[in-house]
Amino acid sequence: MRAATTVWYFEVLRLLRTRRLIAVLFVMLLPALGIPVLIYNLDSLVGAELGAATLPPPTATMVLDTFGQNMQTFTTLAIVAVASATYTEANRPGLAVFYRTRLTDPIRLLWPRFVVLTVAALLAYWIAGAALAYQLAVLFDYTAFADLTIAILTGSVWFPLCIAVTATISGLVRGLAATVCCASVVLLAVPLLTTIERIGDWLPADIARTMGAAAQVDATPWASSTVGWPPIIVAVAAVAAVLAIHLGVETRRHTDTRVVTRSDRPR
């Protein structure tokens, strides 16, 4: 019990002292604060160079669509990079020895890493959502905060899935660069499946479409075909399945490490 508590405490310290929490907050808050201001002033920034041509008036729909696209591309890559740095401790022998000598059950190592990083990502995303709502209210007189809240909560299921996939891939490949590349390819390919008819509504990856639905003040996204229970159900099932695979990989690796250690002992 003391060893398990130490690992939870150690994971929180790793998140704080390595500045990973600041990195997660930065990649979430930057688009939430910058995109509304950029789109609101886009006509004055770019319109002068277009001559007689004028840009369409900025709307909340444009802001939410751009924010959603940023969440499922650049922010996903940042979360993958942070998660990869958290899970690839094999390249640091001292850290690997710390884990292997204090825990005999891999599941006691799985949960602290996954839960701490997931909570940090979700808190940062919700703070960014609050900042986005404030910007929309000030710049665009946006009032559909209930719809925006539902859209943000629905989009939250994407980040635990990103962390779970990265954790599993870190046990299948070696090195930080390989983990980042493989996880990024897998996660960035998932939104492409949303273009397939009758499949896209079940996938939790299309955050841009979720945010676009929130821009419709007269419609409730939760009742529409673009947002609902299917993506959440699929995301929860996918996270459970991926974590089960990750636990199997870690169990086999931990068993192999113990066998090698015992075989190397002098007789």
Side-chain angles (χ1 to χ4, degrees):
M1 181 64 67
R2 183 177 180 181
T5 305
T6 303
V7 173
W8 281 94
Y9 178 69
F10 185 69
E11 288 299 324
V12 174
L13 287 182
R14 287 183 68 192
L15 186 67
L16 297 176
R17 293 185 176 181
T18 58
R19 308 295 190 271
R20 290 172 188 166
L21 180 59
I22 297 176
V24 173
L25 282 172
F26 178 79
V27 298
M28 296 287 190
L29 280 175
L30 183 62
L33 296 175
I35 289 176
V37 175
L38 179 63
I39 292 180
Y40 184 79
N41 297 293
L42 190 61
D43 193 11
S44 60
L45 295 175
V46 184
E49 300 180 1
L50 299 178
T54 58
L55 297 174
T59 61
T61 303
M62 298 171 59
V63 174
L64 291 170
D65 286 341
T66 306
F67 179 79
Q69 293 171 5
N70 184 89
M71 286 293 109
Q72 68 185 24
T73 52
F74 299 107
T75 304
T76 297
L77 294 176
I79 294 296
V80 167
V82 173
S84 299
T86 301
Y87 280 96
T88 54
E89 84 284 348
N91 294 333
R92 295 180 288 275
L95 189 59
V97 170
F98 174 83
Y99 286 125
R100 302 301 180 188
T101 56
R102 281 165 174 78
L103 295 176
T104 57
D105 188 1
I107 197 171
R108 293 187 178 180
L109 180 59
L110 183 151
W111 286 116
R113 289 179 175 179
F114 177 76
V115 172
V116 170
L117 190 56
T118 299
V119 168
L122 291 181
L123 287 178
Y125 180 56
W126 295 337
I127 293 173
L132 178 67
Y134 174 78
Q135 294 282 71
L136 290 174
V138 172
L139 299 177
F140 299 93
D141 295 328
Y142 184 79
T143 57
F145 297 113
D147 295 341
L148 180 60
T149 301
I150 293 173
I152 291 174
L153 293 177
T154 306
S156 300
V157 300
W158 174 242
F159 298 105
L161 182 58
C162 293
I163 297 171
V165 169
T166 305
T168 303
I169 292 178
S170 68
L172 300 175
V173 299
R174 297 294 180 182
L176 177 62
T179 301
V180 172
C181 292
C182 294
S184 299
V185 169
V186 172
L187 292 171
L188 293 181
V190 172
L192 298 178
L193 300 177
T194 58
T195 58
I196 302 176
E197 188 177 0
R198 297 181 180 180
I199 295 180
D201 293 341
W202 288 82
L203 296 178
D206 202 353
I207 302 178
R209 187 172 58 177
T210 302
M211 291 297 172
Q216 307 299 324
V217 179
D218 297 330
T220 302
W222 193 256
S224 67
S225 60
T226 59
V227 182
W229 288 107
I232 296 178
I233 296 173
V234 171
V236 172
V239 169
V242 172
L243 288 180
I245 297 173
H246 175 55
L247 178 60
V249 172
E250 287 298 317
T251 301
R252 185 182 62 180
R253 178 188 293 182
H254 190 79
T255 302
D256 294 342
T257 303
R258 292 181 64 186
V259 170
V260 171
T261 304
R262 290 177 179 178
S263 63
D264 290 343
R265 290 179 179 176
R267 296 181 181 179

